[in-house]
Amino acid sequence: MIVKFLLKDTYEKLIEYYSKKCDVIMFVTKTDGFNDELKNQLMDNITEVEKKLKASFIKKINRSNWVFHESKMELFHEPEMTLEEFQKQFTIYFYKFTEEVKEYLLSNLKIFTWLNPRYPEDVSFFRKGECLFYTITHEEICDIVVENKEEFEYLKSIGVKFLEKEYASLDKKIYIMKKYSFRVKSEAFSFAIIINIRKNKN
């Protein structure tokens, strides 16, 4: 379900909730659109993150595109960028959702301030390979897979404001979605990005 906005202090409660519910977090860095100074700042910051979260590290993968950036090859490829740089412009990191990772997530104050170059972007949470919470932070997009009406009411009670006024399960087919899947080591990961909500919900 699509998150419209989060009330003050909701972010910390969300991190606490999902630290108990999920086992893996994911975030992304990208180098396109930055000058050399900002790229160096990003690399310095992510190096610190890698050191800090070393014990929880699972894997990182490089890609030339990522989720909503799939058209970048045609539209935004910088002429001065080498093919190798282009193929590695997105780096996706996976970490176990440990206490040290939770503390790192709580070092920021808002979900949509996870932005390069100061922070990684697109913080997302997985449980057994399925994404239950994802963000595209530079677009201020946040979506939560709400599993039942009780969870929907609980999330609202801690300050999550959904675009939808009532709970709607995904099997009601009111969403237009795009599915992604990939593997990290031997484990499969998958998630579905909500593209839009159909106007006719009947």
Side-chain angles (χ1 to χ4, degrees), residues 162-173:
F162 291 100
L163 186 63
E164 302 92 333
K165 294 182 179 179
E166 298 180 354
Y167 170 72
S169 61
L170 293 180
D171 60 10
K172 289 187 177 180
K173 302 183 186 304

Side-chain angles (χ1 to χ4, degrees), residues 23 32 45 75 127 133:
D23 51 17
D32 70 305
N45 289 339
L75 297 178
R127 182 187 63 193
F133 180 104

Side-chain angles (χ1 to χ4, degrees), residues 63 65-71 134 136 178 180 191 193:
R63 292 172 61 103
N65 55 59
W66 181 243
V67 187
F68 273 77
H69 306 273
E70 289 181 314
S71 62
Y134 81 84
I136 303 174
K178 190 166 187 178
Y180 294 82
F191 59 105
I193 301 295

